[in-house]
Amino acid sequence: MAKECNHDCGSCGENCAERDMHKAPHELSKIKKVIGVVSGKGGVGKSLTTAMLAVLAQRNGYKSAILDADITGPSIPKMFGISEKATGNELGIFPVSSKTGIEIMSMNLLLDGETDPVIWRGPIIAGTVMQFWTDVIWNDVDYMFVDMPPGTGDVPLSIYQSIPLDGIIVVTSPQELVSMIVKKAVVMAEKMNIPVLGMVENMSYVKCPDCGKMIEIFGKSKIESIGKEYGVKAIAKIPFDPAIATCCDRGLVELFEGNYLDGLFSEIDSLKK
């Protein structure tokens, strides 16, 4: 710590052990645990994993919430069938609740049309994510899941530094190229001193409807070897499942069936102990 520290880390150039740039949530918010869901690239199922984990938390008797930090690609409202817009007053912004009570804040809840593009530069996007954290009034949330923008660029870095994440979940797919990229996301989390709680491999296999055999259409899975390399215990695999896709397309992700993420959620749930 600097000799004459004023405890304002945001304006300080020192790199001391007590430096903390995390921003406080809205004064009326109550949030216990915050989990980031990340991926090295887009299109691997990060938002799907976020939605399914929030649903699992709700099914297990917890109050869950989703902060959709993927500002330029917000798909969470569509999965939950939410078309209404977020509201607010002089106190702050109110998230929209799903059918089962999951609180959600997303850019698409503020745009006039769900297909309107967000053509903003990085600092404005990062600032909007921070407003979702500081200006939204979250009510008695046990588990908040942050759907992070893909990659390791400016916006994910801002989130790591500003929102006090209790851990992250890394989402990948079986292709060799994606496996290489996901290692970058894991290393970034390590450098930011945020624990990796688990890894999810989406599109992991197809189950034959006749014989039940699991067919790895992208080749042999590499998620176990990556998890072993980085000491990640909780590994989950989500198959190609038309039922899950149908639920998401119809805004009914809360009705998904399958125990693909049960073990992963148990690892997350151990944080409360």
Side-chain angles (χ1 to χ4, degrees):
M1 189 191 305
K3 292 182 179 179
E4 297 181 359
C5 179
N6 62 3
H7 301 285
D8 181 10
C9 295
S11 62
C12 176
E14 295 290 329
N15 188 25
C16 64
E18 297 186 27
R19 183 176 177 84
D20 186 358
M21 297 177 64
H22 291 155
K23 296 182 182 296
H26 193 286
E27 61 182 357
L28 297 178
S29 293
K30 296 179 181 179
I31 307 166
K32 293 180 181 176
K33 298 294 181 182
V34 185
I35 309 298
V37 184
V38 310
S39 64
K41 65 181 296 296
V44 298
K46 172 178 54 62
S47 296
L48 171 64
T49 301
T50 302
M52 293 173 72
L53 286 173
V55 171
L56 278 178
Q58 203 79 355
R59 288 178 181 177
N60 280 273
Y62 298 108
K63 180 66 181 295
S64 67
I66 297 176
L67 190 161
D68 188 356
D70 196 352
I71 301 298
T72 60
S75 57
I76 292 295
K78 173 71 173 178
M79 292 184 184
F80 285 88
I82 296 175
S83 57
E84 63 186 287
K85 302 303 178 184
T87 59
N89 58 24
E90 66 278 2
L91 295 177
I93 305 170
F94 303 110
V96 176
S97 291
S98 72
K99 299 175 184 67
T100 62
I102 298 171
E103 292 189 352
I104 295 172
M105 190 63 214
S106 172
M107 193 65 209
N108 260 17
L109 302 181
L110 300 174
L111 298 173
D112 291 332
E114 66 174 15
T115 59
D116 292 349
V118 176
I119 309 174
W120 294 345
R121 295 191 183 277
I124 299 177
I125 294 174
T128 301
V129 174
M130 289 307 104
Q131 285 186 290
F132 286 178
W133 174 251
T134 60
D135 296 0
V136 174
I137 301 173
W138 302 95
N139 300 296
D140 296 316
V141 174
D142 293 306
Y143 288 108
M144 172 180 283
F145 296 92
V146 181
D147 186 5
M148 301 270 285
T152 57
D154 180 59
V155 179
L157 176 61
S158 296
I159 295 172
Y160 280 133
Q161 292 178 328
S162 302
I163 297 179
L165 298 174
D166 293 286
I168 66 165
I169 302 298
V170 180
V171 184
T172 182
S173 60
Q175 298 96 321
E176 181 70 37
L177 176 62
V178 177
S179 297
M180 179 271 292
I181 294 173
V182 78
K183 293 181 181 180
K184 297 179 183 291
V186 174
V187 172
M188 181 180 185
E190 290 181 342
K191 289 182 179 295
M192 302 302 296
N193 295 316
I194 299 173
V196 179
L197 303 177
M199 299 178 66
V200 177
E201 184 177 74
N202 189 34
M203 300 178 283
S204 183
Y205 60 89
V206 173
K207 196 169 186 178
C208 176
D210 295 324
C211 66
K213 180 181 178 181
M214 291 193 301
I215 305 170
E216 296 177 310
I217 60 176
F218 288 123
K220 186 173 177 57
S221 172
K222 302 171 183 63
I223 192 171
E224 285 89 354
S225 60
I226 296 175
K228 184 177 180 180
E229 180 180 353
Y230 291 99
V232 180
K233 295 185 298 182
I235 302 295
K237 296 182 178 182
I238 302 176
F240 277 101
D241 188 341
I244 295 178
T246 299
C247 285
C248 292
D249 289 343
R250 295 181 178 177
L252 300 171
V253 70
E254 289 161 295
L255 300 181
F256 88 87
E257 297 180 357
N259 60 356
Y260 316 117
L261 300 181
D262 287 4
L264 180 63
F265 181 73
S266 295
E267 184 70 20
I268 295 172
D269 199 25
S270 67
L271 290 174
K272 75 178 189 300
K273 298 180 175 64

